[in-house]
Amino acid sequence: MRKSLCVGVVLLVFALSFATVTITDAAAKPGRSKPGSSCGGTAIPKSSGGYWTCTFDDEFSGNALDTSKWAVQTTAASGFTSGTECFVDSPNNIAVSNGVLSLTARAEAAPFTCADPGGAFTTRYTSGEVLTYGKFSQAYGRFEVSAKFPATTVKGLQEALWLWPDDASKYGAWPRSGEIDIAEVYSQYADRAIPTVHYVPLTTDPNTTNYQCLIRDIGQFHRYAVEWTTQAITISYDGQTCISDNWVPMLPLLKPQPFDQPFMVALTQALGIGSNAFDPATTPLPATTQIDYVRVWR
């Protein structure tokens, strides 16, 4: 599996007009509390009535990654890369402690050879990504991540909270089989997170992204969520809607295709490329994304 994080950088050049959403309340109430009844002991009401049912919950309360829930993405196994980093399975890059998962991009003491099925390369940089590949996936429902991103405004870092289809070629090469980016963060634009619903070229559907979802302090924990039904994909930050896309697939696909199959959860700390390219002279490392929880409901 390979996902090109450079796509989001390229998209930044488009001057699309959307209403500005400013996120100011990182502690917004997520719903009425019913201990034990749902993810994190909190029940989330549905707009149609009743409550969402918890299907996946990791509060990162232990001292190691729960491998019954998460797989570690490595460049050696999958060829996954973003910038000049090598994704590795190391406690220096992926760690659980004090109730959070930490994903860290860092400079190593000396250059090393990064194994890659597409061709080994030399780098000094490593980073971390985890995903629920082979452990958990779901079509439709509510997915929520509480995350804290590096609080730097210098270009060179990129983070993503995203959903990727189990069968990434079911309806053809990317993006035809779909992808849901709940939030992508580019360090030179650290006043916002960017959601994107990928399934056709973005010029075809103006509701697939919004570059104006402003966040007052991205270096604090915020709630990034998507509610996905057969009719619409709605992404919100701290309870405030950022985009809602009622996608229209390209023929011969019929709705709800391509968003009619299970998607896995992926969490990525990467180095930037393109206009947000990593610069070893100025980009601050190490850089860490922290995840307080990942919760999914049906």
Side-chain angles (χ1 to χ4, degrees):
M1 184 185 70
R2 177 185 291 269
K3 189 265 186 181
S4 176
L5 290 174
C6 67
V7 172
V9 176
V10 173
L11 299 179
L12 291 173
V13 303
F14 288 91
L16 301 180
S17 294
F18 294 94
T20 296
V21 177
T22 303
I23 308 302
T24 58
D25 184 10
K29 292 183 176 63
R32 283 179 282 177
S33 177
K34 290 188 175 182
S37 67
S38 194
C39 295
T42 298
I44 304 293
K46 291 184 176 182
S47 58
S48 58
Y51 289 86
W52 293 99
T53 299
C54 183
T55 55
F56 179 94
D57 185 11
D58 197 341
E59 305 291 318
F60 302 108
S61 56
N63 55 16
L65 187 71
D66 186 343
T67 55
S68 71
K69 296 178 178 179
W70 299 99
V72 174
Q73 176 79 279
T74 66
T75 303
S78 67
F80 180 91
T81 57
S82 174
T84 57
E85 77 284 86
C86 184
F87 285 89
V88 297
D89 185 354
S90 167
N92 292 329
N93 304 93
I94 301 169
V96 175
S97 64
N98 299 318
V100 298
L101 164 68
S102 296
L103 304 174
T104 301
R106 50 180 276 133
E108 301 301 331
F112 67 96
T113 299
C114 179
D116 184 339
F121 60 94
T122 299
T123 183
R124 276 195 62 203
Y125 306 102
T126 56
S127 200
E129 175 182 272
V130 298
L131 63 169
T132 60
Y133 175 69
K135 315 285 185 176
F136 171 83
S137 61
Q138 180 174 301
Y140 314 119
R142 177 182 172 89
F143 299 71
E144 182 175 304
V145 182
S146 173
K148 174 182 179 179
F149 299 111
T152 179
T153 58
V154 177
K155 72 176 184 177
L157 301 175
Q158 183 175 346
E159 298 80 37
L161 315 174
W162 50 292
L163 308 181
W164 182 254
D166 274 358
D167 186 348
S169 60
K170 182 174 183 177
Y171 297 114
W174 186 92
R176 293 181 180 273
S177 295
E179 174 186 326
I180 302 171
D181 295 334
I182 304 172
E184 284 194 281
V185 175
Y186 308 91
S187 56
Q188 68 173 334
Y189 305 109
D191 62 343
R192 70 199 64 202
I194 299 172
T196 308
V197 178
H198 292 286
Y199 71 102
V200 294
L202 295 187
T203 53
T204 305
D205 179 354
N207 297 316
T208 58
T209 193
N210 186 347
Y211 303 138
Q212 305 303 320
C213 296
L214 305 182
I215 295 178
R216 185 173 62 186
D217 185 357
I218 211 157
Q220 299 300 319
F221 283 104
H222 294 271
R223 294 183 293 111
Y224 301 88
V226 57
E227 291 193 6
W228 167 20
T229 72
T230 58
Q231 298 301 309
I233 294 172
T234 301
I235 296 173
S236 63
Y237 299 157
D238 288 335
Q240 299 186 46
T241 297
C242 186
I243 63 169
S244 187
D245 186 34
N246 57 349
W247 73 98
V248 179
M250 297 176 65
L251 293 174
L253 300 188
L254 298 173
K255 200 167 186 177
Q257 298 169 333
F259 298 105
D260 65 339
Q261 67 164 314
F263 278 46
M264 69 190 79
V265 179
L267 311 171
T268 309
Q269 172 65 64
L271 298 182
I273 58 177
S275 63
N276 186 51
F278 171 73
D279 184 341
T282 59
T283 304
L285 291 179
T288 299
T289 288
Q290 292 188 317
I291 309 295
D292 183 36
Y293 63 75
V294 177
R295 300 170 182 170
V296 185
W297 298 262
R298 187 187 300 282

